[in-house]
Amino acid sequence: MTNEEIIRLRILNELYYSASATHEEEAERRLLLENSSLPEEFAADREMIEHIGSAAIPDGFEMRLAAKIDTIAEAEHLDDSPAGNIRHRKFMSIWNMAASIAVAIAMGCTFFLTDRSSWENSSELSPEETYAQVDNALTLFANALDRGYKEAYEAETTAGNAATKALESLSRLSTPKNNI
């Protein structure tokens, strides 16, 4: 691996872990991590990419997720009454609780039903390094979600502002002017 590739990989890692890498930069990073002469300092990054690659997303997941987001957005706009907001908060709190329970069950099953002796033999990371890797992964995930939430909020705000301006301009056009 050349010095330029190593420098580029460090830059791409920094972008990736700060959740600001584009899809093209992430693809370039994956290609660099697949290099057979990869330095040891990037071994954990390569291993993480291999494990992430083994978790396949089901077919049609993106379309179902987008449809669910659209359904929730429509429900929010159709029912802006105080009672509707309370129902929405209750509904979302139930889903949040269900998601938390699902994550806890998955983690518990992994922890309690897996042979721990294989963990000790297969892991080259100390518990502190493992914690740091998990923390980095969760931070990356949270930043990506936050970035998506902010973009959706900005788009909604922009659309709302445009609609308000259009309605104001229509009301000015429809209001008769009294010329005395």
Side-chain angles (χ1 to χ4, degrees):
M1 186 169 227
T2 66
N3 284 339
E4 292 82 22
E5 289 174 325
I6 292 172
I7 292 169
R8 180 66 180 157
L9 184 54
R10 285 182 182 139
I11 292 169
L12 291 171
N13 271 346
E14 188 175 316
L15 290 170
Y16 181 80
Y17 288 119
S18 68
S20 57
T22 63
H23 291 292
E24 293 80 17
E25 291 168 334
E26 287 182 22
E28 181 183 357
R29 177 180 177 264
R30 274 192 298 278
L31 285 174
L32 288 172
L33 288 172
E34 292 173 0
N35 191 322
S36 60
S37 62
L38 185 71
E40 184 63 30
E41 71 178 281
F42 299 110
D45 296 307
R46 175 189 281 178
E47 188 175 331
M48 182 182 71
I49 290 295
E50 289 171 357
H51 290 295
I52 288 174
S54 67
I57 296 173
D59 291 337
F61 174 75
E62 292 174 354
M63 291 183 353
R64 290 193 315 264
L65 180 63
K68 187 64 175 175
I69 290 171
D70 291 342
T71 303
I72 291 171
E74 288 173 10
E76 285 179 357
H77 292 296
L78 291 177
D79 196 3
D80 287 335
S81 67
N85 288 334
I86 291 170
R87 279 194 306 268
H88 177 72
R89 280 190 298 236
K90 286 181 181 178
F91 176 74
M92 290 309 293
S93 66
I94 290 171
W95 277 107
N96 290 341
M97 190 176 5
S100 299
I101 291 171
V103 169
I105 290 172
M107 290 176 64
C109 289
T110 302
F111 184 75
F112 290 113
L113 300 178
T114 306
D115 181 22
R116 291 192 186 107
S117 62
S118 65
W119 292 354
E120 295 169 4
N121 296 333
S122 67
S123 177
E124 296 176 10
L125 297 177
S126 69
E128 292 81 15
E129 292 170 327
T130 303
Y131 176 81
Q133 290 293 328
V134 170
D135 186 50
N136 283 341
L138 290 175
T139 301
L140 174 67
F141 182 68
N143 287 340
L145 284 177
D146 188 47
R147 184 174 54 191
Y149 173 76
K150 286 179 183 174
E151 289 173 0
Y153 177 76
E154 289 172 2
E156 184 178 340
T157 304
T158 303
N161 290 343
T164 302
K165 287 180 183 177
L167 289 173
E168 288 174 355
S169 114
L170 286 173
S171 68
R172 275 187 258 134
L173 290 174
S174 65
T175 306
K177 295 183 180 181
N178 295 333
N179 291 334
I180 300 177

